[in-house]
Amino acid sequence: MAALIWLVLGVVLVAAEILSGDFVLVMLGLAAFGAAGASALGADVVVSAIVFGLVSLGLVVGARPAIRRRMALGSGHKSGVEALVGSTAIVVSTVDGHGGRVRIGGDVWSARSLDREVIEPGAEVTVVEISGATAVVLSGA
């Protein structure tokens, strides 16, 4: 019976983690699963509680900081317009501080010069920002 209680507690804590997103409840839920395992193997309530405490402490102090660091760093993979910043583009029609067109990869984008410099077609530029649907570029790629 104690194993079932620990198991239910573990499921509730892991499910509640979805709402908090702080990686504490999932650690406690995993610790409850450990206590459920100990109880299922015949440990009494005190030993199960000790297992719960030790596993909780280990996960919250050991695993949680590493997981939070990993989540803060992200995967390092940029996508969408974020991936375009820093890329090289080719001027398709004259770009100045008000407008123009550049080719980034295979796509033609509206563009404007960051420093209002006039950049002629064929020049290589660096995308420094995406502002709406306009690439803000800087000559001298």
Side-chain angles (χ1 to χ4, degrees):
M1 180 66 175
L4 183 59
I5 292 171
W6 282 115
L7 186 62
V8 169
L9 179 64
V11 169
V12 168
L13 287 169
V14 170
E17 179 64 36
I18 294 169
L19 300 175
S20 79
D22 201 35
F23 298 111
V24 173
L25 297 177
V26 74
M27 299 301 159
L28 296 177
L30 293 174
F33 291 151
S39 182
L41 292 173
D44 65 3
V45 174
V46 173
V47 173
S48 295
I50 291 171
V51 167
F52 175 79
L54 292 175
V55 173
S56 294
L57 183 65
L59 289 173
V60 170
V61 173
R64 182 175 174 266
I67 292 170
R68 292 199 35 102
R69 273 192 305 275
R70 174 73 175 158
M71 295 300 287
L73 292 176
S75 64
H77 176 73
K78 295 180 181 178
S79 63
V81 295
E82 184 180 88
L84 299 176
V85 175
S87 65
T88 300
I90 304 296
V91 176
V92 175
S93 67
T94 303
V95 174
D96 58 23
H98 301 289
R101 308 281 283 172
V102 296
R103 180 175 306 279
I104 306 171
D107 299 321
V108 176
W109 283 71
S110 297
R112 67 178 168 80
S113 173
L114 177 67
D115 56 6
R116 302 196 182 278
E117 177 184 355
V118 176
I119 309 166
E120 297 300 325
E124 284 191 357
V125 293
T126 302
V127 178
V128 294
E129 176 185 352
I130 300 295
S131 178
T134 301
V136 180
V137 298
L138 188 60
S139 66

